[in-house]
Amino acid sequence: MFHIVIPARFGSTRLPGKALLPIADKPMVAWVWERAMQAGATQVVVATDDQRIVDEMTNRGATVAMTRADHVSGTDRLAEVVDQLGWKEDAIVVNVQGDEPLMPVANIQRVAAMLNKTAGADMATLMEPLTAADADQESVVKVVASETGRALYFSRSAIPFHLEGGVPAPLFRHIGLYAYRARFLKIFVGWPPALAEQSESLEQLRALAHDAHIQIELAPEAVPAGVDTESDLDAVRALLGAEQ
C-alpha cells in the first residue's frame, strides 16, 4: 500500500502556469494524475498552491490539497500533505512530479515496491543507462550506486570519472521519481540545505549528507524527458497528441 502526491505549482520561471498548459485535450497535470491513478495507490493527491489548479482538478474528480505558497520545493509540499491528511509514520509516499506527463505507471509502482521490500531504506528512486555522449550535460543528473543498490552520490558532472587508461565504468542517469517513508519525509524537510546540495542544486544530496539510505535500481521502463521548456512541451504534445 502506498500514496501518491503530485506537487503542482502554478508559478514557473520558464513556463508560467505550466501545470495547466494544454496537451491535446487536457492540461498537463491532468495527464500526470491520470497515469498516477493507474498505479494502484491507496490515495492520489494533487498538491498545489493555486485555486485555478484546485478548480480544474477537482472538476475532474481528483483529490486536491491546497498547500502553502512559500514552499521551496515539491518535497516540502509533500510533507505538508502528509500532515494535512494524517498519514501514518510508516506510510509510503511517492512523489510524482507534475511536469512528468509521460512517466510510466510501472516506474511509479516499482519505487513504491522497492521501498516496501527494503526495510532499512528511507527513500527509493530509479536510474537508467546513460551514454558517454550525454554525460557532460549538466541538466542530466548522474548517479553512482553500490553493489547492493544503495545510492552513493548524485551529480551534474559525469561520474564516475573515466581516467585515461582506466576501465570505463557504466554511467547512469537519475530519474527524479521518489518514494519516501512518511516519518523520514518529515525529518528531511526539517534539515537545512546541505553544502553539496547547494553546490549542485540537487535536493537528494541533503539526504546523503545525513547518511540517509536511498535505494536505487534500474527503471523497468524508459522515461521520456519531462517538461521544462517550450520545446519540451512541443515534443510531449506531439507524442500525446498522436495517442488520441
Side-chain angles (χ1 to χ4, degrees):
M1 294 176 57
F2 63 99
H3 304 285
I4 295 173
V5 179
I6 304 169
R9 186 171 63 94
F10 187 84
S12 172
T13 303
R14 292 182 178 178
L15 289 174
K18 180 165 64 171
L20 294 181
L21 291 176
I23 299 174
D25 62 344
K26 59 181 79 81
M28 179 162 53
V29 66
W31 286 96
V32 179
W33 172 70
E34 288 180 0
R35 289 198 177 223
M37 289 294 288
Q38 299 172 38
T42 301
Q43 192 168 15
V44 177
V45 180
V46 176
T48 187
D49 59 358
D50 193 276
Q51 191 61 45
R52 287 163 289 190
I53 295 175
V54 173
D55 294 342
E56 175 67 36
M57 295 310 297
T58 300
N59 289 339
R60 290 179 177 273
T63 299
V64 183
M66 177 65 90
T67 56
R68 301 200 321 264
D70 61 348
H71 286 310
V72 176
S73 71
T75 312
D76 297 293
R77 210 171 297 283
L78 248 69
E80 184 180 350
V81 171
V82 169
D83 282 337
Q84 278 190 25
L85 300 183
W87 289 341
K88 295 181 179 179
E89 294 279 290
D90 61 351
I92 291 175
V93 185
V94 178
N95 179 351
V96 180
Q97 297 182 39
D99 58 2
E100 293 275 4
L102 299 174
M103 180 61 69
V105 172
N107 291 353
I108 299 171
Q109 295 169 329
R110 179 61 62 86
V111 291
M114 285 169 58
L115 194 55
N116 185 54
K117 73 180 182 182
T118 311
D122 302 297
M123 299 168 54
T125 189
L126 298 171
M127 61 186 179
E128 63 183 10
L130 178 68
T131 65
D134 294 329
D136 289 331
Q137 298 180 40
E138 67 177 39
S139 61
V140 176
V141 179
K142 278 68 70 173
V143 62
V144 173
S146 74
E147 295 292 334
T148 58
R150 184 165 180 164
L152 299 176
Y153 194 71
F154 300 84
S155 181
R156 296 186 183 279
S157 297
I159 56 171
F161 178 77
H162 178 206
L163 186 65
E164 186 175 354
V167 178
L171 300 170
F172 295 97
R173 177 177 85 90
H174 174 233
I175 295 167
L177 175 69
Y178 297 99
Y180 301 87
R181 297 194 193 281
R183 61 176 173 272
F184 173 74
L185 185 59
K186 291 189 281 188
I187 293 170
F188 176 86
V189 298
W191 289 329
L195 290 176
E197 171 189 358
Q198 294 176 77
S199 178
E200 299 238 29
S201 190
L202 295 175
E203 191 182 49
Q204 61 269 41
L205 292 177
R206 187 189 317 175
L208 293 185
H210 289 271
D211 297 320
H213 179 166
I214 304 177
Q215 193 70 14
I216 189 167
E217 65 178 50
L218 289 172
E221 294 187 21
V223 181
V227 178
D228 287 321
T229 65
E230 194 70 42
S231 61
D232 293 338
L233 183 61
D234 290 340
V236 170
R237 281 172 171 163
L239 283 170
L240 292 178
E243 294 180 4
Q244 297 299 295

